[in-house]
């Protein structure tokens, strides 16, 4: 077990690994959350979009009531959905998340994605027309950030950050922020290491957390098809290192991020896999192994969340985070 934490710019300590709660199946949530707690995990990465905040909230409430751990020892992250990407809707959506999670505050509130989707009173998270997501082309990330800052002042979140933001977007927020960007949550794994963006974040005191640390194997097939997408969990170099340490490739990939100062957020709906995935504190990757793992980076080819395919028309949005830097 490890309770190593990274210090955010506002002084708050964030655990160095956490449970990705997206897509955890409902019936498994209590088991999975308990397995994570028992394995020493103190960070739970949630989002209103995942649709399971109430289940995670119920499971955590039971953990706190059992006095296994206290609320203040657990770090809860959640995120503003894309239909909330408007200054007037930030408070509304954070309050919804707090009610779902049965807590008075979260530790970190992130803007899930820099592009807004059209809002309607039905609050459909992925509004569509002719099969395409309806993007809101007027997204104003600067004033959304100011509304995020108000949430810190109101005590609803201890810190705020972003997810899937580009260097240029982060810089524009830094230029006006009165409350620091604590964290940028990005796709990061051995095949897609985002070294330049991570360096930029580090230089600006912004911590990085990694979604899809295992390359998101299950989602890929369901969402965009597995054809042509590299499988980092089957990589022979990763497998060789795993064999040498008597570990699995999943454990090596999570340990790699841990040693490289990225907070990994692996997801599993299996309590057994959670226990396994967080059993990474009885071995250390050598400098040569870290060099080998760092050399696996495939750049853009390694990206599994290709938002240009997922959100058609994104390339025409002024806040498209994948636009080439000007
Ligand atoms: N900010 C964002 O835009 C964003 C986007 C995506 C995800 N996220 C966050 O990041 C978290 C993780 O991302 P992700 O779920 O896409 O990717 P991931 O953690 O890389 O992969 C999860 C997949 O790996 C499988 N798995 C887990 N442990 C395994 C093991 N030991 N051996 C073999 N397979 C294993 C899981 O299957 P089983 O469940 O069957 O074990 C699941 O299909 C999400 O839950 C969410 O919290 C954030």
């Amino acid at each position: 077990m490890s309770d190593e934490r990274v210090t955010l710019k506002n002084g708050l300590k964030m655990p160095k690994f956490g449970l990705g709660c997206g897509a955890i199946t409902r019936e498994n949530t209590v088991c999975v959350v308990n397995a994570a707690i028992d394995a020493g995990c103190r960070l739970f990465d949630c989002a209103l979009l995942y649709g399971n905040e109430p289940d995670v909230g119920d499971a955590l409430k039971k953990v706190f009531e059992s006095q296994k751990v206290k609320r203040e020892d657990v770090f809860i992250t959640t995120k503003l959905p894309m239909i909330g990407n408007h200054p007037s809707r930030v408070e509304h959506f954070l309050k919804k998340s707090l009610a779902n999670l049965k807590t008075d505050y979260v530790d970190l509130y992130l803007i899930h994605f820099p592009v807004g989707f059209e809002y309607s009173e039905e609050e459909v998270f992925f509004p569509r027309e002719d099969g395409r997501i309806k993007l809101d082309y007027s997204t104003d990330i600067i004033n959304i950030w100011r509304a995020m800052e108000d949430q810190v002042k109101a005590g609803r979140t201890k810190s705020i950050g972003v997810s899937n933001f580009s260097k240029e977007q982060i810089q524009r927020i830094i230029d006006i922020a009165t409350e620091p960007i604590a964290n940028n949550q990005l796709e990061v794994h051995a095949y897609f290491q985002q070294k330049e963006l991570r360096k930029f974040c580090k230089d600006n005191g912004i911590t990085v957390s990694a979604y899809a640390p295992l390359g998101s194997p299950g989602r890929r097939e369901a969402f965009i098809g597995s054809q042509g997408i590299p499988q980092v969990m089957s990589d022979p170099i990763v497998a060789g290192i795993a064999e040498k340490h008597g570990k699995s490739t999943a454990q090596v990939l999570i340990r790699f991020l841990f040693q490289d100062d990225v907070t990994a957020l692996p997801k599993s709906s299996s309590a057994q896999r959670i226990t396994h995935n967080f059993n990474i504190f009885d071995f250390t990757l050598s400098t040569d192994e870290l060099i080998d793992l760092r050399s696996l980076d495939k750049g853009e080819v390694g990206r599994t969340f290709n938002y240009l395919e997922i959100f058609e028309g994104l390339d025409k949005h002024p806040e498209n985070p994948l636009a080439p830097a000007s």
Side-chain angles (χ1 to χ4, degrees), residues 68-218:
K68 220 184 222 184
V69 289
K70 297 190 200 110
R71 167 67 186 92
E72 55 268 35
D73 295 330
V74 170
F75 191 103
I76 303 177
T77 303
T78 196
K79 312 184 192 86
L80 178 72
M82 288 75 115
I83 57 167
N85 275 359
H86 189 279
S88 66
R89 291 194 287 272
V90 173
E91 180 174 326
H92 164 74
F93 280 110
L94 177 51
K95 281 180 171 169
K96 266 195 152 182
S97 285
L98 294 179
N100 284 339
L101 291 163
K102 285 128 204 119
T103 183
D104 296 336
Y105 69 93
V106 287
D107 297 275
L108 178 63
Y109 196 48
L110 302 175
I111 304 175
H112 206 141
F113 198 72
V115 163
F117 294 174
E118 275 192 24
Y119 177 83
S120 67
E121 279 184 11
E122 293 75 39
E123 299 196 342
V124 177
F125 289 142
F126 294 95
R128 287 175 197 277
E129 195 168 59
D130 302 329
R132 295 168 60 145
I133 300 278
K134 287 160 87 177
L135 303 180
D136 169 6
Y137 288 88
S138 68
T139 314
D140 172 2
I141 59 171
I142 297 303
N143 280 311
I144 293 170
W145 186 259
R146 291 188 170 123
M148 296 282 285
E149 292 178 332
D150 290 343
Q151 302 314 303
V152 180
K153 290 184 197 108
R156 293 185 196 100
T157 182
K158 287 192 184 287
S159 53
I160 48 179
V162 295
S163 178
N164 299 299
F165 273 49
S166 68
K167 217 159 99 170
E168 185 275 334
Q169 289 168 326
I170 293 171
Q171 186 61 58
R172 269 191 284 140
I173 292 181
I174 289 173
D175 291 345
I176 58 94
T178 57
E179 194 62 50
I181 303 177
N183 184 260
N184 189 10
Q185 189 179 120
L186 302 168
E187 177 176 347
V188 182
H189 47 77
Y191 276 180
F192 187 52
Q193 297 187 27
Q194 305 235 46
K195 289 176 187 161
E196 197 189 323
L197 185 48
R198 276 167 53 197
K199 180 175 183 312
F200 174 79
C201 288
K202 191 173 180 188
D203 291 347
N204 285 283
I206 300 167
T207 60
V208 169
S209 41
Y211 70 75
L214 306 175
S216 199

